Amino acid sequence: MPHFFIRSSTTHLPITGNRFSLSLRLQAIKLSSHSGPDSHNQQQTFQANQEPNKELEPLSVSHVASPSSIKKLISSQSDPLLAKEIFDLASRQPDFRHSYSTYYSLIIKLGRSRHFSLMESLMTQLKSLHCPVTPALFSNIIRIYGDAHLPQKVVRTFYSIVEYNCKPTSKHLNLTLDVLVADRRFLRPAFELFRTAHKYGAFPNAKSYNILMRAFCYNDELSVAYKLFNLMFKRDVVPDVESYRILMQALCRKSQVARAVDLLEDMLNKGFVPDTLSYTTLLNSLCRKKKLREAYKLLCRMKVKGCNPNIVHYNTVILGLCREGRALEAIKVLDDMHSNGCSPNLVSYRTLAGGLTDQGLYEEARNFVEDMMSKGFSPHFSVAHSLIRGFCNVGKLEEAYGVLGKLLQHGEVPHGDTWSEIVPRICEGEDMERLAALLNEVIKVEIKPYTRLVDAGAGLGDYLVNRIQAKSRNI
């Protein structure tokens, strides 16, 4: 059995799981608590006179440490079973009574280590003492049972609170509801508890309603969630921003965006300020439903209604516009970002450059690619490739060479497909000086797995073969 060394001022005594050594420790605590001039000699005498092979006589009350010392000893044990042995040994001493804080500490220690039968036995003892019990004890027990996925024990704990001369609170109710709704089988029992909790002194608050509303929404019972929402007003419970957001998110998941927007208007009319997540949900749904005009109007109204748009809101609208081939309008959103003090990020630039390229607006796309690189952002290789290929396809080779040159100057490694696109065109134009200059830039850049210069060199190889064959025919 492992030994646990407990430090007193001058004595180090091992604690094992037998009554003899635990008794030694209890006596050591008593001795170490004295501050008289003879305390050091007493401890030395105590240590010298003990013989491990003799049974220790029962301790009298004068030898037992104080309840606070026992509590500290129990709290310091990493082994919950050893802590329980210390508790039991101290309990057997005449006229000794543990403090409530000792019960509290040991109950939580046993519960967190999943020794539920021992924990419940201590709770029974505590109830028989008729001492005041703090609500925090039951909060912790509910969490412990919840973490162990024991919803039935959670419910029993809630109903048993009154047996300890303690009233359950809204916090106990919400903790219990949180555990129950996590398991769909206990959704109805959670609703029943919600309905009857007031009989036990626990009155549902806005969080209680929110827990059930969210659960019913995820269970595809939106109508029940709406009834709960309306019930809040009848019961004089003021909904909060989360209450509205839960319903808006559920409506958007069911593609009922118009109803979600109406709910937002109702929220604003009642004086609530929607949070950023509520706006993100609506903007994303409007863009997916291709209601881009409404999305942009909502984006513009946010600041007026007390919520400054952030980068996520702007990028959501930019992406929605680019997906629908309206990249030029997305540029206006980017301009709005600057005027509202919000700086575009990598996603903003990549989305917009990609959208412009997809629409064949290569000049505008090039400007944004160069702008983003000047700010230290790296264009995605697919954007750079599409831009260079686009310029090549419309016969603007100089512009394509310029984009490639900018990429290399900023240390960006073009994809192998990009090399395969541009090298043959340089060779067709017999512009070997330009090719040499590009290759000189290439060797300055770190070569990555997807660079594939060998594949790109196929175009150069074809060019050289054709030149040799042409010279042979001339001879």
Side-chain angles (χ1 to χ4, degrees):
M1 178 176 296
H3 288 69
F4 299 84
F5 286 88
I6 309 300
R7 183 185 300 275
S8 66
S9 59
T10 58
T11 309
H12 299 275
L13 292 177
I15 286 187
T16 60
N18 57 72
R19 180 177 180 275
F20 172 76
S21 50
L22 289 179
S23 298
L24 287 179
R25 179 59 188 135
L26 293 177
Q27 293 188 49
I29 293 175
K30 177 64 178 176
L31 290 171
S32 64
S33 65
H34 294 305
S35 58
D38 297 330
S39 61
H40 178 69
N41 294 332
Q42 287 177 344
Q43 292 179 33
Q44 287 182 332
T45 303
F46 166 79
Q47 189 175 23
N49 290 341
Q50 302 305 321
E51 297 183 19
N53 59 348
K54 292 183 178 180
E55 184 66 26
L56 189 70
E57 295 180 0
L59 296 172
S60 67
V61 68
S62 63
H63 290 137
V64 180
S66 66
S68 62
S69 299
I70 295 295
K71 189 261 181 182
K72 289 179 181 178
L73 178 60
I74 288 175
S75 299
S76 67
Q77 301 306 310
S78 59
D79 183 350
L81 296 180
L82 181 57
K84 180 65 166 60
E85 287 189 53
I86 297 172
F87 178 92
D88 291 340
L89 180 59
S91 300
R92 289 196 290 269
Q93 308 311 313
D95 300 324
F96 182 84
R97 180 171 178 172
H98 288 291
S99 65
Y100 169 70
S101 60
T102 303
Y103 275 97
Y104 184 101
S105 177
L106 185 55
I107 286 170
I108 301 306
K109 189 181 291 287
L110 291 169
R112 287 174 177 167
S113 58
R114 306 291 175 91
H115 292 95
F116 295 132
S117 60
L118 293 176
M119 182 187 77
E120 291 160 3
S121 175
L122 276 181
M123 288 295 295
T124 302
Q125 289 183 37
L126 186 60
K127 182 165 60 174
S128 67
L129 296 176
H130 302 290
C131 66
V133 180
T134 59
L137 176 62
F138 297 102
S139 298
N140 279 296
I141 292 174
I142 290 171
R143 291 191 186 97
I144 287 168
Y145 281 140
D147 292 341
H149 306 292
L150 297 171
Q152 292 176 331
K153 286 185 177 291
V154 169
V155 174
R156 283 200 292 269
T157 300
F158 177 85
Y159 286 125
S160 70
I161 295 176
V162 294
E163 299 173 6
Y164 294 81
N165 296 320
C166 182
K167 283 187 177 181
T169 64
S170 298
K171 182 177 181 179
H172 295 136
L173 174 61
N174 295 338
L175 287 170
T176 304
L177 292 176
D178 261 330
V179 174
L180 295 180
V181 301
D183 188 333
R184 294 182 63 177
R185 297 172 300 173
F186 288 88
L187 184 54
R188 294 300 168 182
F191 186 64
E192 184 62 26
L193 173 63
F194 171 84
R195 288 196 318 106
T196 60
H198 67 279
K199 298 179 181 179
Y200 298 86
F203 294 92
N205 55 20
K207 185 174 181 179
S208 312
Y209 283 88
N210 292 345
I211 292 169
L212 282 180
M213 285 165 54
R214 183 183 294 105
F216 280 112
C217 285
Y218 279 116
N219 201 45
D220 202 24
E221 296 183 69
L222 183 57
S223 59
V224 179
Y226 252 105
K227 289 179 182 177
L228 285 169
F229 180 74
N230 293 327
L231 186 62
M232 295 176 73
F233 297 97
K234 296 179 182 178
R235 297 279 174 85
D236 293 326
V237 177
V238 180
D240 55 18
V241 172
E242 186 179 2
S243 309
Y244 282 94
R245 186 178 68 242
I246 289 169
L247 290 180
M248 283 191 287
Q249 289 175 332
L251 289 168
C252 289
R253 284 195 297 269
K254 296 178 75 68
S255 298
Q256 299 180 24
V257 186
R259 289 184 65 188
V261 173
D262 291 341
L263 196 60
L264 177 70
E265 293 297 332
D266 179 67
M267 184 180 183
L268 293 169
N269 292 335
K270 286 185 169 63
F272 291 96
V273 178
D275 59 0
T276 58
L277 186 55
S278 300
Y279 279 111
T280 301
T281 300
L282 285 178
L283 288 171
N284 188 53
S285 297
L286 287 169
C287 289
R288 289 186 178 278
K289 295 286 286 186
K290 301 181 181 180
K291 296 185 177 183
L292 300 174
R293 183 180 179 83
E294 291 85 345
Y296 182 68
K297 288 173 61 178
L298 180 61
L299 184 67
C300 294
R301 288 182 61 196
M302 286 180 64
K303 189 171 184 178
V304 178
K305 295 299 181 180
C307 182
N308 287 327
N310 60 30
I311 189 66
V312 176
H313 301 130
Y314 284 111
N315 285 347
T316 299
V317 178
I318 289 173
L319 178 61
L321 290 167
C322 289
R323 279 176 173 171
E324 296 304 309
R326 298 164 65 173
L328 290 177
E329 295 176 56
I331 295 177
K332 186 178 186 305
V333 177
L334 196 74
D335 294 336
D336 291 344
M337 293 176 68
H338 290 293
S339 60
N340 288 330
C342 183
S343 300
N345 63 4
L346 177 62
V347 176
S348 312
Y349 281 111
R350 281 184 174 179
T351 302
L352 192 50
L356 291 167
T357 302
D358 292 340
Q359 287 184 243
L361 302 171
Y362 304 120
E363 298 288 348
E364 292 82 355
R366 179 186 60 184
N367 293 336
F368 277 103
V369 168
E370 292 178 355
D371 188 31
M372 70 184 294
M373 286 193 294
S374 69
K375 290 180 170 60
F377 296 124
S378 173
H380 193 266
F381 69 85
S382 63
V383 174
H385 174 71
S386 297
L387 181 57
I388 291 173
R389 184 179 61 182
F391 275 128
C392 289
N393 289 340
V394 296
K396 295 184 176 181
L397 299 182
E398 289 296 328
E399 287 80 355
Y401 300 156
V403 173
L404 183 59
K406 287 286 186 181
L407 289 172
L408 294 170
Q409 288 174 13
H410 283 84
E412 301 293 336
V413 181
H415 194 272
D417 292 339
T418 306
W419 289 110
S420 298
E421 186 74 39
I422 203 164
V423 168
R425 296 178 186 275
I426 295 176
C427 295
E428 289 174 3
E430 298 188 8
D431 193 348
M432 301 308 295
E433 291 184 4
R434 185 184 295 276
L435 181 59
L438 286 175
L439 291 177
N440 285 333
E441 290 292 333
V442 168
I443 62 176
K444 300 177 184 178
V445 179
E446 178 186 1
I447 303 300
K448 298 183 180 179
Y450 54 75
T451 307
R452 294 169 53 200
L453 285 174
V454 174
D455 292 349
L460 180 59
D462 292 342
Y463 165 77
L464 293 174
V465 169
N466 292 334
R467 287 295 299 270
I468 292 172
Q469 290 176 344
K471 286 185 176 181
S472 299
R473 286 194 297 270
N474 291 334
I475 293 174

